[in-house]
Amino acid sequence: MIVYIAYPTSLNLQSANALQTYTTLRELRSRRPDTLALIPRWRMEPSRFYEVGAVHLPRPAIGKLSRFYKSTLLYYTEHSVFAAMTAAIVAPRRQTVEAVYIRQPIIAAWWAGVFGPRLGLPVIYEAHDLESRNPSRAKERWARGLLDLIDRTAIGRATAVASLTADFRRLLAQIGWREPADVAVIPDAYDEQIFAPQDRVACRTELGLPPTAPIVAYAGMTFAHRWLDGLLSAIRALRATHPDLIGLILGGRPGERAALAAHAISEGLRVAETTTTPADLYLLPPRPQTEVVRCLGAADALVIPDTVTDVTASPLKLFEYMALGIPVVLPSIPALHEILPPHLAYSFTRRDLAGLQAALSAALAERDPSLAAVRQALAAEHTYGRRAERIIALVERVANRK
C-alpha cells in the first residue's frame, strides 16, 4: 500500500496545488486502488477529493490565528500537528505500507526525521523547492535556522526525493545534500482528459471573439511574481505592428484583476471582463478547466511571463499549453527548457520587456504546422497517468531497497 499525504490549498480545486494533487491521486488510485490518501478538511467544507477516495482528517486550523498574529510559524505548527495525526493513522497499518509519499515540507520533515524511522517506513518527499526560498516562508530572523533544519531534514533524511526538475536535482548534488541517484525527476503534468488540440475557429465563435484577430492568452494565478504587468506592456507595444491584437488573461483574485485592469487602462488598452464586449484586453475570472481549454484554444500564442521559482519551475500551464500544440512564449529558464526545448518555444531573457515583445511577435508569425504536432507528442510524455507511473516506480524501488 502507498500512503500519500498532501495539504491541498483548495478542496474544490481552485488552485494549481489542489489540481495537481487531485489528478495525481485519481491516476494513482486507478493503478493502485489500495493507495491511502490523507488530506485535511476544515469542518464540513465541501471536497472534490472524495471522488478520488481520499481520507479526510480534521484540519487543525492553527494557521487561522494568523488573522490576529501574522506569522507563517502558525502554519508550521498546524502542519506539524497534522503530521502527527497522519502518523497515528498509518501506525496500525505499517506492516502493509510500502512507502509514505509526501508533498508538503513540514510534514515531510517530521516523517523523514521522526515518524518514518520510528515506524520503520520509507519516506519519499516530493520537493517543490527549498522552504528557505519559499516566498511564504517564516520571516522571523530567529527562524532562519529552523528553515535550514526543515530543508535538511526533509531532503537529507528522506529515503528518496522526488524533484520536479533535473535542475533542482543538480542543485541538491552541488550543495551536497543528496546524491543524484537518490533523487527521481517526476515533473508536473496535464490532464489528458481535458487538454487536447482545439478548433480555433469554433473556440472563437463560442466565445464571441473576432475570427481573424491575433490573440495572446495566459491562464493561471495573477499575483505580482507572474509579471503580468510586463505582458500588458508588451501587448500595448505590439499593437503598433498588430493593431487588432487582443490579450486574454484568465484567472486570479478580483483585487489582482482590478489592479491589472488599472495598469492596462494606463497603457491605453480597452478592458472588459466578458468576451461579448469589444476590447483590447479581456480579464476573465476563474472558471472550470473544461472552459479554460476553450479560451486557450482560441489563441494564436500562449504565454508564461514569469515563474515564482527557477530551478524548480514546472508550471502546470506549460504542459497544458503544449498539449494544445499552440506556440508557447516563456522565459529562458533551464527548468522550463527541460520540458520544452528552445527550438520548440519562443524564449526571452527573464523580465526583459523588449525580449518578451520580440518572442510574442515571433510566436504570432509561426506558420509551420509540424511544430504543433511535436509539442503535442512531447506533452504526451507528461500526462498524469505517466506521472502516477513514475511515482509507483519510485515507491517500488525504495520498497525493494527496504
Side-chain angles (χ1 to χ4, degrees), residues 36-90:
L36 174 62
L38 301 175
I39 65 169
R41 184 177 71 149
W42 172 243
R43 294 183 175 176
M44 298 304 292
E45 180 184 4
S47 175
R48 291 283 307 278
F49 285 87
Y50 281 113
E51 299 170 11
V52 292
V55 174
H56 295 66
L57 303 182
R59 177 186 167 188
I62 300 166
K64 289 184 178 292
L65 296 175
S66 62
R67 68 185 67 178
F68 306 110
Y69 174 68
K70 195 171 182 62
S71 173
T72 303
L73 291 171
L74 292 167
Y75 287 96
Y76 288 1
T77 305
E78 176 177 319
H79 298 152
S80 297
V81 173
F82 186 76
M85 294 167 65
T86 61
I89 296 294
V90 172

Side-chain angles (χ1 to χ4, degrees), residues 275-297:
T275 54
T276 57
T277 303
D280 307 320
L281 174 70
Y282 293 102
L283 290 170
L284 307 181
R287 56 193 62 196
Q289 284 192 300
T290 50
E291 296 180 29
V292 170
V293 71
R294 302 296 284 169
C295 294
L296 296 179

Side-chain angles (χ1 to χ4, degrees), residues 98-229:
E98 295 169 79
V100 180
Y101 190 96
I102 306 168
R103 53 154 298 162
Q104 203 286 331
I106 312 303
I107 299 171
W110 279 105
W111 268 94
V114 179
F115 304 131
R118 290 285 181 88
L119 297 175
L121 295 176
V123 175
I124 301 171
Y125 171 38
E126 183 180 297
H128 288 226
D129 204 347
L130 299 177
E131 180 62 18
S132 54
R133 303 196 310 187
N134 182 352
S136 301
R137 67 188 179 277
K139 299 299 195 302
E140 289 85 349
R141 182 174 298 178
W142 65 265
R144 292 174 184 170
L146 174 62
L147 298 176
D148 186 64
L149 177 63
I150 291 167
D151 284 331
R152 286 180 177 274
T153 304
I155 291 172
R157 299 188 63 181
T159 313
V161 174
S163 170
L164 297 180
T165 69
D167 208 20
F168 187 58
R169 178 170 64 182
R170 283 190 290 271
L171 172 65
L172 295 181
Q174 287 170 5
I175 62 180
W177 283 12
R178 294 302 302 227
E179 292 295 325
D182 292 332
V183 181
V185 177
I186 303 180
D188 266 327
Y190 75 97
D191 190 345
E192 67 274 28
Q193 297 181 14
I194 296 175
F195 289 91
Q198 303 291 302
D199 183 314
R200 184 174 299 160
V201 174
C203 289
R204 293 189 178 202
T205 300
E206 180 181 322
L207 295 168
L209 293 169
T212 59
I215 296 178
V216 169
Y218 166 90
M221 302 299 288
T222 56
F223 52 82
H225 293 290
R226 303 295 184 176
W227 199 46
L228 291 173
D229 53 336

